[in-house]
């Protein structure tokens, strides 16, 4: 059974740095084609893709947030950490981590998907 | 970044109805699209990837189609547990981008 769980502060002050940890089990982040991503969702709004780290340590970030984000992995601990600097009230929302899989590539598709997801953690930015 | 436009943003339907949700990409994304279901207060759940491949364990009343820029999620016979918000996600290039969501409500 594959599980992921997010942990970190529920409340941060404006300008502070947020550090979230995704602890997972049931898969290894050293397996080819596997990654862990972070996605967030402001209250009542749509999902937003933030960052992704792969088994080979390749990292991808949302360009709009790239200057504020850092994603790292600790394969031995089965953890992925996301840091976001200079938090604003608009960064309030639920933050999810999810396992990313890269499927077989052919001429018409090179699929990737998030499955499963963690339960999410609500982060509020307020003074 | 590729923009994903879902329609409608919400719909009302009855149990047993056939429901269709569309997602349009701002450029060709081949078949690199997934569909996710999110119930209130819960994490999203993968339904379909590669535009039309049903994730293991997902009921066969869900199906996906399309390629290039236009994609469709169809629920052939809506069940009570299907009332939720549905999102498409393009994974063709970075940053991966979600649609704005379609909320399926009870008529």
């Amino acid at each position: 059974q594959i599980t992921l769980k997010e942990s970190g502060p529920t409340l941060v002050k404006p300008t502070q740095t947020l550090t979230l940890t995704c602890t997972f089990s049931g898969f290894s982040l050293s397996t080819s084609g596997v990654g862990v991503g972070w996605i967030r969702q402001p209250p009542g709004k749509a999902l937003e893709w933030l960052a992704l780290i792969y088994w080979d340590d390749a990292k991808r970030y949302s360009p709009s947030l790239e200057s504020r984000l850092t994603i790292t992995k600790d394969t031995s601990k089965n953890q992925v950490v996301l840091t976001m600097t200079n938090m604003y009230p608009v960064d309030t929302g639920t933050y999810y981590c999810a396992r990313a899989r890269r499927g077989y590539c052919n001429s018409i598709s090179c699929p990737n998907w998030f499955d499963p997801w963690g339960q999410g953690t609500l982060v509020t930015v307020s003074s | 970044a590729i923009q994903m436009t879902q329609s409608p943003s919400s719909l009302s339907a009855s149990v047993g109805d056939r429901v269709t949700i569309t997602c349009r990409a701002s450029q060709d994304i081949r078949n690199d699209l997934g569909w996710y279901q999110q119930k209130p207060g819960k994490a999203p759940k993968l339904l379909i990837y590669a535009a039309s491949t049903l994730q293991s364990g997902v009921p066969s009343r869900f199906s996906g189609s399309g390629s290039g820029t236009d994609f469709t999620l169809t629920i052939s016979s809506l069940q009570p547990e299907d009332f939720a918000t549905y999102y498409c996600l393009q994974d063709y290039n970075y940053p991966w981008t979600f649609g704005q969501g379609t909320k399926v409500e009870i008529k």
Side-chain angles (χ1 to χ4, degrees):
Chain A
Q1 182 188 6
I2 295 172
T3 63
L4 303 95
K5 188 173 184 179
E6 306 86 353
S7 59
T10 57
L11 179 67
V12 297
K13 290 180 169 34
T15 75
Q16 286 187 336
T17 294
L18 172 69
T19 300
L20 293 173
T21 300
C22 177
T23 303
F24 56 86
S25 63
F27 69 96
S28 172
L29 201 37
S30 58
T31 300
S32 178
V34 174
V36 170
W38 286 93
I39 305 98
R40 71 178 179 180
Q41 185 172 39
K45 296 189 177 180
L47 300 164
E48 179 184 12
W49 181 90
L50 299 179
L52 187 52
I53 189 166
Y54 286 105
W55 80 99
D56 58 1
D57 210 37
K59 301 167 187 178
R60 300 288 185 264
Y61 296 100
S62 170
S64 63
L65 295 167
E66 186 165 9
S67 63
R68 300 171 54 204
L69 292 175
T70 303
I71 190 169
T72 60
K73 65 180 175 70
D74 186 330
T75 304
S76 64
K77 292 183 178 180
N78 281 354
Q79 290 182 332
V80 170
V81 175
L82 181 76
T83 60
M84 182 180 292
T85 60
N86 206 10
M87 293 288 285
Y88 301 97
V90 293
D91 296 313
T92 293
T94 298
Y95 287 71
Y96 297 98
C97 65
R99 185 187 68 159
R101 285 292 312 279
R102 179 175 292 171
Y104 173 74
C105 295
N106 56 32
S107 61
I108 62 170
S109 182
C110 192
N112 300 270
W113 59 90
F114 284 130
D115 181 68
W117 295 53
Q119 65 188 25
T121 185
L122 176 61
V123 178
T124 301
V125 185
S126 174
S127 55
Chain B
I2 297 173
Q3 291 191 338
M4 305 301 296
T5 303
Q6 274 184 248
S7 60
S9 56
S10 66
L11 64 90
S12 295
S14 300
V15 172
D17 284 353
R18 181 181 183 89
V19 169
T20 299
I21 298 167
T22 63
C23 194
R24 175 164 289 176
S26 60
Q27 69 180 71
D28 185 346
I29 59 169
R30 301 187 306 184
N31 280 12
D32 296 336
L33 181 116
W35 290 98
Y36 296 79
Q37 176 193 64
Q38 186 179 33
K39 296 181 179 180
K42 299 296 186 181
K45 172 189 171 184
L46 175 70
L47 299 176
I48 287 167
Y49 62 93
S52 61
T53 302
L54 196 66
Q55 171 67 349
S56 175
V58 174
S60 59
R61 63 182 179 271
F62 291 93
S63 64
S65 64
S67 67
T69 59
D70 294 309
F71 301 86
T72 299
L73 172 70
T74 299
I75 309 172
S76 60
S77 178
L78 198 65
Q79 297 302 299
E81 60 268 32
D82 300 337
F83 292 94
T85 300
Y86 294 84
Y87 293 93
C88 61
L89 170 66
Q90 71 80 18
D91 57 88
Y92 176 71
N93 66 11
Y94 301 101
W96 294 1
T97 43
F98 288 93
Q100 79 274 22
T102 296
K103 187 174 184 179
V104 177
E105 299 176 301
I106 301 173
K107 182 181 284 184

